[in-house]
Amino acid sequence: MTVTEPKPRYKYVGTRPVRHDGLEKVTGRARFAADLNLPGQLHGIVVRSPHAHARITSIDTSEAEAMPGVKAVITSEDFPAVAPGHRQYDMCVNVIARDKVFYEGHALAAVAASTRDQAQAAAAAVKVEYEVLPAVLTIDQALAPDAPVLHAHMMTAGANPPAEEASNISNITRFSSGTDMDAGFAEADLVMEREFTTRPVHQGYIEPHACVADTGQDGHTTIWCSSQGHFNVRSSTATLLGWENTRIRVIPAEIGGGFGGKTTIYLEPLAVALSAKAGRPVKMVMTRDEVFRATGPAPGTKLRIKLGAQSDGNLVAGDAYLIYTNGAYAGPGGLLGAMTVFESYNIPHFDIEALDVVINTARSAAYRAPAAPLTAYAMETLLDEVAEELGIDAMELRLKNAVTEGEPSTMGFPFARIGFVECLEAVRDHPHFSAPLGPNQGRGLAAGYWFNIGESSSATVNLNEDGTATVVTGSPDIGGSRASMALMAAEELGIDPMDIRPVVGDTEAVGFTDITEGSRATFATGMAVVEACRKMVVELRGRAAKMMGVDVDDVDWVDGQAVYTGSDSDKDPLSVADICAKAKRTGGPLTATGSLEAHGAGPGFAVHLCDVEVDPETGVVRVVRYTASQDAGTAIHPSYVEGQIQGGVAQGVGWALNEEYIYDSDGVMENPSFLDYRVPVASDLPMIDAIIVEVPNPAHPYGVRGVGETGIVPPIPAVANAIYDATGCRIRDLPMSPIRVLEAITANGGSNGS
Amino acid sequence: MLSAMKYASPTTVAEAVDLLGSEPDARVYAGATDLIPQIRAGRPEPNVMVDLKRIERLCAISSSGSTYTVGAATPTADICAHDGLAAAFPGLVEASGLIGSDQIQSRSSWGGNLANASPAADTPPSLIVNDARAVIAGPGGERTVAAADVATGPGTTSLGPGELIVEFELDEPPARTADAYLRLIPRTEMDIAVVGVAARVTLDGDGKVAAAAIALGAVAPTVVRVPDAEAALIGNEPAGDALAAVEAAASAATNPIDDKRGTVAYRRQVAGVLARRAVSIAAERARERGGQS
Ligand SMILES: Cc1cc2nc3c(=O)[nH]c(=O)nc-3n(C[C@H](O)[C@H](O)[C@H](O)COP(=O)(O)OP(=O)(O)OC[C@H]3O[C@@H](n4cnc5c(N)ncnc54)[C@H](O)[C@@H]3O)c2cc1C
């Protein structure tokens, strides 16, 4: 692993202390949502649709209600009505179906009973009558002229001319250079066009969704749950229930993985409604089966890209037609695909059209750099083909066309300082790049881009009587962000990071904070922490001035101490602990907050190099070496930056090789377990060499850019390009499972084995 | 749901047989690494769970010099750690070591692997090529059958009511004999065989095949032997044409299904490839073993 030395100009930022939540996690003491039990608690179970597409003609709960231990049964009737056009209509009817179910596993009722077994038995006794409708299971089926239309109200947004009839296309996105595309392609010496298909995949977090809700007679409820954003849990639950936010307090539990899949809600409003009806706390924990069937998949796609290049490798024109399915409801897949497909390269003539399509599968949720791994799969494998066709080295082609500071993106704004070229160079200069390959091995190069986001964050810094500090933020820690908050606060205040307790406050303990998503926690919430600390330093200087009996303008904050800079006389510097000890006499408790809307999230770039070994007779692909560079801006805690890069690679390799949702012809998921939904196991991966590139983001006080997502963008094309190098086969259909690889090898003239 | 279930832990085979006969829904188990996941997935619950691990005979490994006896509930971790078994049956021990993970290995057994009768189970093909015998106890006393005759189809066995497998018997292999087991899984572990192949080869003094046994898992409702491949090897060096014939015969012997884990075409093709490779490895080991037995 590449070791990044601590920056000399920082004392704590860039060091690698053990994370504050580490010991609790490795000893099993950390409390996840399913670990909480309240006295008198009931167990809630969801009744789910066995059909992929059906009208609910009746729900009879009477038998279930009469069963032993049953305290409450709810259906959509227990929630205020919502109609199409409601701001969060999709979310509401996804949490509990109204007149129709749109996928197998769609929740339509829930039961609370004294034991889980009783609740399960009662859930099975809820009688639901359905009128089964034909299921739309693929993009092609959804777009067929005679396709059943899922949502009678779905008028394609962004259609030109405007849509006049409902269809399964929720949205069309169009970005273009506004130039003459034919003329653009006419400038090219080489034009290549390729099509790709991919299937939905799951984020694969280990911890199933879980919550406990306790609703009192005063109409207020407390929810303990695992999520990426408890303020979002509060507002979404409030929306479903028609309540004010103040009636709901959400306390975040430790989270056992989310990767984007816990940016939305499923159970919480059901648990609150059951708890309100029963007058008891209600605990709900999904099974793995439910997690697969009813939560999270990332979109499946059909992608077509056409590239025009000149003989020297200069890219001149790009045309992309991208279709994403977001499951049963509208979603942003196509939009995000369009925003990322050509973003890494200078392509003067471009035309991007993206469709979002609904089908009868679970509503998709965000998954690390949503949509971008798939556009990268298409774009970066096609670039490899272009390089080969032109006889140009794949690295050179990327270096030649890579976007740099000041150049306009396809989104129309010029890039600020970015580190794409530096990431390419870091891989080019790594020993891996020129290491020899063994028999049946191949090497693949691919780049990736993700824009990252800012949004709202809040932080409160409380100095304690003994000079230690508590840093409270509203960002659930899904990747080590607490350690980063402590390091930034330590740097600002001059306190050892281990004397700082970074905590995630509940919705009543800290200011509003958006979801931990878009790789924003260390960036945006870090900015709020820095802002709070800087206010605190102003306060500390004032307190010190009082203690010294001098003018505040003559007190500076240096290395964690108030230092007198005036010329009157010698004054001993005062430490944080000194000032805290006298706080009562200088103005009371020392507290500061920072709340902001963060702008300028620096885009992240990554460049990956992957070696595979392919068994030419079985199609089995093993990843044997992997090197990944990524621009972190500044790595606040390098170990957790490396962890993010490695985690992204692991998930991307799984997506490339084996992960996929498999449905039968009725839309029933056939592989809802980790046995048959194959995420990589530890022995499937080599040690992933993470190279942290640091090109500071000018918008952040420490130069941070988010690192949580970009790492999952390049692995699919890196693996695909490596498989091509090893076998001569281009596989344009995910996953590149042994079956598909062997088919490709066989079609290509068989193996060279035995 | 694991609700109102009784637990019994007999210490003798006779007691276990009595318990098994006492209640219609009594079930024996060793590691329960198949049974518990099946119950959680909604299969009918036994009303009595009969734990076989307290019966000494079912967890013992012994050797008479010419025959090994392995208790049917012996954890596969113990089997893998047994030097004698590893030397005599390297393929069978490898197959045992492929089951699950360390945690699973500390519980999983040959008896459970065979009696569960999954077509994809890893040890049955190796038990079969080594001519393992199963000693079965029941209300009528004990009987011994070929391990090959225990599973009769996916999830079904020839065990009668009240019967359980007590132990397995394996004869010490003759000179210049060794086995090998290969399986295809998309991942490197914690996966279920798409194809599994066991081969056992005995060489004569000239390096030609004197005896061979090849068995395929996961490509038919039960383990299939490949007599055509065995015949193609006998009298020949395990190389070239003979291996090509093994490959073709193994592919032809399959009767697979298309499912989420593999296609017919894939299973057929890979069964041939793995059969050829397993025979090569077994022959190489047999050569190394030379005259020792
Ligand atoms: C995570 C995981 C990974 C796995 N990986 C593999 C793998 O790689 N390869 C593989 O083949 N299997 C695998 N399995 C399945 C299982 O572990 C094996 O089949 C194991 O050998 C079963 O042994 P057991 O003792 O746990 O069986 P049990 O669950 O105790 O029993 C299985 C069945 O056999 C019956 N039975 C058990 N013992 C006897 C006996 N002595 N006489 C008569 N009937 C008996 C039981 O009543 C039950 O019907 C895996 C399971 C898990 C949970």
Side-chain angles (χ1 to χ4, degrees):
Chain A
M1 197 169 310
T2 307
V3 175
T4 304
E5 293 305 321
K7 288 280 167 305
R9 63 185 198 284
Y10 298 134
K11 188 166 178 196
Y12 299 115
V13 163
T15 61
R16 301 172 183 249
V18 169
R19 63 200 288 167
H20 300 71
D21 51 317
L23 193 65
E24 295 225 325
K25 291 240 170 88
V26 297
T27 55
R29 198 172 154 257
R31 294 280 159 81
F32 296 86
D35 293 328
L36 183 79
N37 293 296
L38 293 183
Q41 118 193 325
L42 305 175
H43 295 267
I45 292 286
V46 177
V47 180
R48 298 184 182 277
S49 167
H51 304 294
H53 196 193
R55 201 174 301 286
I56 301 172
T57 52
S58 70
I59 303 179
D60 179 0
T61 59
S62 52
E63 190 182 318
E65 275 158 12
M67 287 177 64
V70 174
K71 307 289 183 202
V73 181
I74 55 165
T75 67
S76 64
E77 298 290 309
D78 292 270
F79 297 86
V82 286
H86 181 283
R87 196 173 47 88
Q88 288 191 288
Y89 177 77
D90 288 353
M91 188 271 290
C92 291
V93 295
N94 186 53
V95 167
I96 189 147
R98 292 197 159 259
D99 47 342
K100 270 176 90 179
V101 286
F102 288 99
Y103 55 92
E104 185 235 356
H106 198 162
L108 54 93
V111 177
S114 301
T115 69
R116 208 175 147 88
D117 283 355
Q118 288 170 333
Q120 240 151 11
V126 171
K127 291 214 169 54
V128 188
E129 306 270 343
Y130 300 94
E131 175 196 338
V132 177
L133 302 168
V136 175
L137 298 174
T138 64
I139 287 171
D140 289 343
Q141 286 171 12
L143 296 178
D146 56 347
V149 171
L150 269 65
H151 304 280
H153 63 272
M154 185 166 276
M155 297 300 209
T156 308
N160 187 15
E164 285 174 1
E165 277 178 31
S167 76
N168 293 325
I169 304 171
S170 64
N171 189 52
I172 296 179
T173 305
R174 188 85 186 259
F175 296 122
S176 88
S177 55
T179 59
D180 181 340
M181 288 305 292
D182 291 339
F185 279 106
E187 288 172 30
D189 300 308
L190 173 71
V191 175
M192 293 185 92
E193 180 170 357
R194 294 288 182 256
E195 276 191 34
F196 302 81
T197 54
T198 75
R199 275 147 239 240
V201 298
H202 197 270
Q203 296 82 351
Y205 32 83
I206 299 297
E207 180 201 27
H209 299 262
C211 69
V212 180
D214 187 13
T215 311
Q217 288 180 1
D218 61 355
H220 286 248
T221 196
T222 304
I223 301 170
W224 290 261
C225 66
S226 154
S227 86
Q228 288 176 241
H230 42 298
F231 286 89
N232 174 64
V233 172
R234 181 178 69 174
S235 61
S236 297
T237 303
T239 299
L240 256 128
L241 293 163
W243 289 12
E244 299 79 30
N245 279 339
T246 45
R247 288 173 64 187
I248 303 172
R249 176 183 179 199
V250 184
I251 302 179
E254 286 292 348
I255 176 168
F259 312 112
K262 291 179 184 164
T263 57
T264 186
I265 61 161
Y266 301 97
L267 296 175
E268 290 81 0
L270 307 181
V272 173
L274 286 169
S275 167
K277 206 163 181 174
R280 303 259 289 268
V282 172
K283 176 173 184 169
M284 299 184 81
V285 182
M286 282 196 199
T287 61
R288 180 66 54 196
D289 187 285
E290 290 178 286
V291 171
F292 274 115
R293 290 186 204 276
T295 77
T301 63
K302 268 183 88 152
L303 311 169
R304 189 177 75 219
I305 299 188
K306 184 163 117 179
L307 279 182
Q310 291 174 326
S311 53
D312 62 355
N314 207 24
L315 296 175
V316 286
D319 184 289
Y321 184 64
L322 317 170
I323 312 174
Y324 281 70
T325 80
N326 300 286
Y329 299 96
L335 167 68
L336 299 172
M339 288 169 70
T340 53
V341 61
F342 292 145
E343 198 66 353
S344 304
Y345 301 101
N346 282 306
I347 305 175
H349 304 282
F350 62 87
D351 190 2
I352 306 164
E353 184 173 359
L355 269 57
D356 282 299
V357 166
V358 292
I359 60 173
N360 290 116
T361 60
R363 180 187 189 218
S364 71
Y367 182 17
R368 266 187 147 148
L374 303 168
T375 46
Y377 170 43
M379 179 64 182
E380 293 286 323
T381 52
L382 180 51
L383 268 186
D384 239 40
E385 287 199 71
V386 167
E388 186 178 21
E389 201 66 30
L390 292 175
I392 297 175
D393 176 69
M395 174 64 81
E396 284 311 309
L397 185 76
R398 287 174 173 84
L399 278 165
K400 190 175 180 76
N401 293 286
V403 287
T404 55
E405 182 177 356
E407 286 172 341
S409 74
T410 50
M411 296 298 96
F413 53 83
F415 280 110
R417 188 84 179 83
I418 49 170
F420 186 21
V421 168
E422 288 81 352
C423 288
L424 285 163
E425 289 170 346
V427 166
R428 183 196 59 195
D429 299 340
H430 191 278
H432 181 181
F433 193 68
S434 47
L437 287 166
N440 295 320
Q441 293 186 350
R443 180 164 295 152
L445 173 73
Y449 158 83
W450 183 244
F451 47 83
N452 296 328
I453 61 171
E455 296 192 314
S456 305
S457 283
S458 299
T460 300
V461 176
N462 297 316
L463 291 186
N464 304 320
E465 308 91 290
D466 59 357
T468 60
T470 307
V471 173
V472 189
T473 74
S475 289
D477 177 356
I478 62 172
S481 58
R482 268 170 295 189
S484 297
M485 300 307 151
L487 284 168
M488 285 182 274
E491 195 71 45
E492 293 290 327
L493 299 172
I495 309 180
D496 189 282
M498 285 304 147
D499 286 334
I500 296 176
R501 188 77 192 155
V503 298
V504 185
D506 70 60
T507 51
E508 294 180 353
V510 66
F512 178 86
T513 301
D514 272 311
I515 298 170
T516 301
E517 63 182 356
S519 301
R520 61 176 291 278
T522 302
F523 169 72
T525 306
M527 282 167 90
V529 168
V530 171
E531 183 181 287
C533 288
R534 289 185 179 173
K535 286 185 192 165
M536 179 64 82
V537 165
V538 170
E539 181 67 23
L540 286 168
R541 284 172 50 226
R543 301 292 182 97
K546 263 192 196 164
M547 289 167 70
M548 295 175 184
V550 302
D551 192 300
V552 68
D553 292 339
D554 289 335
V555 178
D556 270 3
W557 194 255
V558 184
D559 283 341
Q561 290 189 315
V563 178
Y564 175 65
T565 57
S567 49
D568 278 9
S569 61
D570 277 354
K571 302 265 182 207
D572 286 339
L574 293 172
S575 69
V576 172
D578 296 333
I579 300 167
C580 286
K582 298 280 187 301
K584 271 182 181 289
R585 273 182 262 158
T586 58
L590 287 153
T591 285
T593 62
S595 274
L596 47 79
E597 186 68 19
H599 296 286
F605 287 89
V607 176
H608 291 191
L609 195 64
C610 169
D611 291 356
V612 299
E613 186 168 318
V614 182
D615 183 330
E617 294 186 306
T618 63
V620 170
V621 175
R622 302 279 179 238
V623 175
V624 295
R625 187 168 182 183
Y626 207 106
T627 303
S629 73
Q630 187 169 322
D631 179 12
T634 298
I636 302 295
H637 192 305
S639 301
Y640 302 143
V641 173
E642 286 158 1
Q644 288 298 316
I645 296 173
Q646 290 163 334
V649 171
Q651 290 188 306
V653 166
W655 198 337
L657 292 180
N658 284 307
E659 293 183 36
E660 64 178 319
Y661 267 61
I662 303 173
Y663 297 99
D664 73 8
S665 55
D666 295 325
V668 174
M669 189 186 180
E670 290 195 292
N671 59 336
S673 77
F674 277 139
L675 178 58
D676 287 310
Y677 182 89
R678 295 187 170 95
V679 301
V681 296
S683 54
D684 289 346
L685 294 162
M687 188 63 203
I688 294 152
D689 195 352
I691 310 172
I692 301 173
V693 171
E694 295 187 293
V695 176
N697 172 11
H700 186 276
Y702 289 99
V704 166
R705 8 181 136 244
V707 294
E709 293 166 288
T710 313
I712 201 175
V713 182
I716 302 173
V719 170
N721 288 337
I723 290 174
Y724 171 75
D725 191 38
T727 63
C729 299
R730 288 272 174 212
I731 301 176
R732 301 190 186 90
D733 189 15
L734 291 185
M736 295 175 276
S737 60
I739 294 174
R740 228 166 259 146
V741 172
L742 189 60
E743 271 169 11
I745 292 173
T746 307
N748 205 32
S751 74
N752 54 355
S754 82
Chain B
M1 259 184 251
L2 304 180
S3 42
M5 196 182 278
K6 278 186 276 179
Y7 167 80
S9 57
T11 54
T12 64
V13 171
E15 228 184 305
V17 169
D18 282 350
L19 277 160
L20 202 48
S22 67
E23 297 267 2
D25 293 331
R27 280 289 278 282
V28 295
Y29 73 96
T33 61
D34 276 317
L35 197 54
I36 296 282
Q38 287 163 4
I39 293 170
R40 284 198 197 282
R43 298 262 189 99
E45 274 178 39
N47 58 354
V48 185
M49 295 270 285
V50 182
D51 182 352
L52 298 177
K53 293 225 182 219
R54 301 285 166 86
I55 308 172
E56 227 170 278
R57 198 175 152 202
L58 270 90
C59 295
I61 303 175
S62 64
S63 166
S64 69
S66 60
T67 302
Y68 283 97
T69 304
V70 179
T74 309
T76 46
D78 289 355
I79 290 168
C80 293
H82 193 278
D83 292 340
L85 288 173
F89 311 103
L92 174 56
V93 169
E94 274 161 7
S96 308
L98 289 177
I99 295 176
S101 58
D102 285 354
Q103 292 95 323
I104 297 294
Q105 292 274 326
S106 70
R107 303 277 319 162
S108 56
S109 67
W110 282 356
N113 202 221
L114 187 62
N116 186 57
S118 156
D122 278 310
T123 63
S126 293
L127 288 168
I128 289 169
V129 296
N130 284 297
D131 293 324
R133 299 177 294 275
V135 177
I136 293 168
E142 292 194 5
R143 64 190 178 100
T144 301
V145 301
D149 294 334
V150 174
T152 52
T156 61
T157 66
S158 60
L159 297 175
E163 284 194 325
L164 60 94
I165 306 171
V166 176
E167 60 204 8
F168 292 92
E169 294 173 352
L170 285 150
D171 293 335
E172 176 76 40
R176 290 181 299 275
T177 299
D179 69 335
Y181 179 75
L182 294 175
R183 74 167 177 185
L184 191 296
I185 53 171
R187 290 187 287 205
T188 46
E189 58 184 359
M190 297 302 283
D191 216 328
I192 191 160
V194 179
V195 176
V197 180
R200 177 163 127 158
V201 172
T202 301
L203 299 177
D204 63 18
D206 300 331
K208 298 210 165 98
V209 177
I214 296 164
L216 312 177
V219 293
T222 57
V223 172
V224 284
R225 283 285 286 264
V226 194
D228 289 350
E230 296 163 10
L233 283 167
I234 307 264
N236 291 310
E237 289 199 10
D241 287 350
L243 285 182
V246 166
E247 180 166 355
S251 286
T254 60
N255 177 22
I257 53 167
D258 269 323
D259 70 2
K260 62 192 172 191
R261 293 177 184 146
T263 59
V264 167
Y266 185 79
R267 287 189 158 116
R268 200 162 268 157
Q269 189 171 346
V270 171
V273 170
L274 295 195
R276 163 164 52 71
R277 291 181 182 176
V279 166
S280 293
I281 296 168
E284 184 57 34
R285 286 177 180 162
R287 225 169 274 136
E288 280 164 14
R289 284 171 62 94
Q292 82 193 73
S293 67

